Amino acid sequence: DAGVIQSPRHEVTEMGQEVTLRCKPISGHNSLFWYRQTMMRGLELLIYFNNNVPIDDSGMPEDRFSAKMPNASFSTLKIQPSEPRDSAVYFCASSSRAGGGETQYFGPGTRLLVL
Amino acid sequence: AQSVTQLDSQVPVFEEAPVELRCNYSSSVSVYLFWYVQYPNQGLQLLLKYLSGSTLVKGINGFEAEFNKSQTSFHLRKPSVHISDTAEYFCAVTLVGGYQKVTFGTGTKLQVIP
């Protein structure tokens, strides 16, 4: 299995631009998570999907952030407009189901720099 | 709500020496506990997890952890570290039952010195 795939691996953009991060979960996994990692705040859960439906988006920082999962094999996290404080590493993770002590499998991350 | 505390932000240790990375959690109900490792420029990967049963859990790469309910701890240990163990280690907790958000600690950077 190829594992969780994220693209792009690196993104540099200017403040105000739209940024779209992409994720392909492991085939057969029903749950997908988006995390953000920064030095100041550590690893934060942004949103969680189960069977393509958003279940918990309480971690989404503000309306500039949106996430979709149109099918079981693809999800996007969009930031519009982007701001310098959005600079971070964004991880996507998937698991066979949420809860129950299931292991989350992380992608390699997208390193975002907003100038 | 649950929380997890990793008191040590950095732990330097000489190669082949033993190491213990500390993790304490807070919860009023039963929990599942995890240790994940993050190598430079990579995502997190599972080292080991405690769900139930034996309190001593063995994981990959020679690591083990012991669940101590009375101390609310889940410390990670390795008897002899290698250079390749240099990484950041995250303790995580989730509540038992249904979908429960996984809460990660702030991480401990293990620096293995040759």
Side-chain angles (χ1 to χ4, degrees), chain B residues 27-105:
Chain B
S27 173
S28 58
V29 297
S30 296
V31 297
Y32 296 132
L33 293 156
F34 307 80
W35 276 99
Y36 283 82
V37 60
Q38 184 179 28
Y39 298 104
N41 300 313
Q42 295 186 25
L44 281 69
Q45 63 184 83
L46 183 74
L47 266 181
L48 50 79
K49 62 183 176 182
Y50 172 78
L51 303 182
S52 64
S54 173
T55 57
L56 183 63
V57 181
K58 294 189 182 296
I60 62 172
N61 301 339
F63 284 93
E64 64 180 31
E66 185 155 19
F67 170 58
N68 188 321
K69 189 174 182 178
S70 62
Q71 300 288 325
T72 60
S73 68
F74 191 54
H75 301 330
L76 181 70
R77 302 184 183 98
K78 186 170 183 177
S80 175
V81 296
H82 302 288
I83 294 290
S84 58
D85 293 324
T86 295
E88 189 159 16
Y89 293 78
F90 292 88
C91 184
V93 63
T94 186
L95 301 181
V96 174
Y99 161 66
Q100 300 291 347
K101 175 181 173 179
V102 176
T103 300
F104 286 86

Side-chain angles (χ1 to χ4, degrees), chain A residues 12-65:
Chain A
V12 180
T13 190
E14 292 186 346
M15 182 174 63
Q17 297 298 306
E18 176 182 302
V19 174
T20 299
L21 311 180
R22 297 172 176 80
C23 174
K24 176 179 170 56
I26 292 173
S27 177
H29 281 188
N30 297 325
S31 300
L32 183 139
F33 309 81
W34 281 101
Y35 291 90
R36 178 173 67 177
Q37 185 178 38
T38 61
M39 289 291 292
M40 291 297 293
R41 302 173 69 93
L43 195 63
E44 305 171 274
L45 176 66
L46 300 178
I47 188 169
Y48 146 65
F49 292 86
N50 189 47
N51 292 324
N52 312 336
V53 176
I55 302 299
D56 181 355
D57 65 355
S58 59
M60 295 287 264
E62 48 196 276
D63 292 346
R64 297 186 297 107
F65 286 70

